[in-house]
Amino acid sequence: MRKVLFLLLIAPLAQAQTCLDPSADQIASLTRPHNYIQHRSSSYDRSGGNADARPIAPGATLTLLDEPGPGVLTHIWITIASSDDNHLKQLVLRAYWDEEATPSVETPIGDFFGLGLGEYYLYQSIPLQVGADKALNSFFVMPYQKHARITVTNDGPEKVDSFYFNIDYRACSKPLPADTLYFHAQYRQATPTHGWAKYGTTNDWTSNGDPKVNNRPNLNGEDNYVWLDARPGTLRRRSHVDLAESRWLVGRRRRHVLRGR
């Protein structure tokens, strides 16, 4: 009886990179098949010219992305040219997933990108970066099953001359897993002082330097902002505080307060 030898060769199957794969080795992943198509929504000049930015009038809303799903946002880049010094607070970023009525993301654009003081500072982290010059970057993964819409609304009094944006997203060939969690970000603000209306004066002012309120005395510290309330210890560092505009209250516990406006 003749013996027959069968040699079975098993070749490894190439594993496709999925829509939600946050592969850290982006160079190596270039050799792998993908089950998505990479797209970009941007402010490029649709006429073919070089005016690759959009103006935003006061009260107007600009749509940055309006795409069907399933998909995944992987990168948002924005830079803004505006004469309004408060535009990081005045521009409101909103994102709607799967045609929801209320946004899952609603926040001043500066706060979303880590600039909570309304001013530009350069920094770098894994999910967020602010580069030179005024380049706002987000690398948060934002999935959606049916639809994604991102808008920016100008709630300020001045026109935004040039709003530049690039949004990179993946159009997925298959629905995302049913247990995929969605990205949410909501802005919250608490103001502990009662404002000038409590004292029968005026609310008709816009900054601490306004003559209507700048020189009003507050000798007893009533309704001051409390930004530190700590047990006995050593204060090692502070920032963004002018000690000429603050007071120390010393006792068994120490509190750092700023004069209320």
Side-chain angles (χ1 to χ4, degrees), residues 20 71-72 97-98 104 141-145 176-184:
L20 287 172
V72 177
W97 312 130
D98 297 351
S104 290
V141 176
M142 305 181 192
Y144 51 95
Q145 293 280 17
L176 301 176
D179 60 352
T180 299
L181 301 180
Y182 283 47
F183 181 88
H184 291 73

Side-chain angles (χ1 to χ4, degrees), residues 7-72:
L7 181 61
L8 180 62
L9 298 178
I10 302 178
L13 298 177
Q15 183 179 3
Q17 183 180 10
T18 66
C19 242
L20 287 172
D21 185 358
S23 175
D25 191 348
Q26 297 296 327
I27 300 299
S29 68
L30 293 175
T31 63
R32 297 168 55 190
H34 301 160
N35 69 351
Y36 60 84
I37 299 176
Q38 189 74 36
H39 291 279
R40 169 173 288 183
S41 176
S42 77
S43 55
Y44 78 93
D45 191 340
R46 270 58 175 175
S47 69
N50 194 40
D52 53 346
R54 305 292 181 84
I56 311 179
T61 295
L62 174 66
T63 298
L64 311 185
L65 179 76
D66 190 353
E67 294 293 335
V72 177

Side-chain angles (χ1 to χ4, degrees), residues 10 23 68-69 74 80 83 112 123 129 171 192 199 204 218 225 227:
I10 302 178
S23 175
T74 57
I80 307 163
S83 58
F112 181 86
Y123 76 92
Q129 298 175 11
Y199 306 101
D204 183 23
N218 183 6
Y225 290 96
W227 65 272

Side-chain angles (χ1 to χ4, degrees), residues 197-255:
K198 175 182 177 182
Y199 306 101
T201 53
T202 178
N203 281 331
D204 183 23
W205 58 283
T206 58
S207 69
N208 288 343
D210 194 309
K212 295 179 181 179
V213 297
N214 190 47
N215 297 322
R216 190 183 189 282
N218 183 6
L219 299 179
N220 60 6
E222 185 177 8
D223 288 322
N224 280 350
Y225 290 96
V226 178
W227 65 272
L228 176 65
D229 190 348
R231 298 187 182 280
T234 301
L235 180 65
R236 297 182 60 87
R237 186 176 186 273
R238 65 171 178 80
S239 62
H240 301 101
V241 175
D242 182 357
L243 289 182
E245 292 293 321
S246 63
R247 301 179 180 184
W248 284 99
L249 302 182
V250 182
R252 291 181 59 84
R253 303 183 71 182
R254 178 170 289 181
R255 305 199 308 170

Side-chain angles (χ1 to χ4, degrees), residues 3-9:
K3 295 182 179 180
V4 180
L5 179 62
F6 290 95
L7 181 61
L8 180 62
L9 298 178

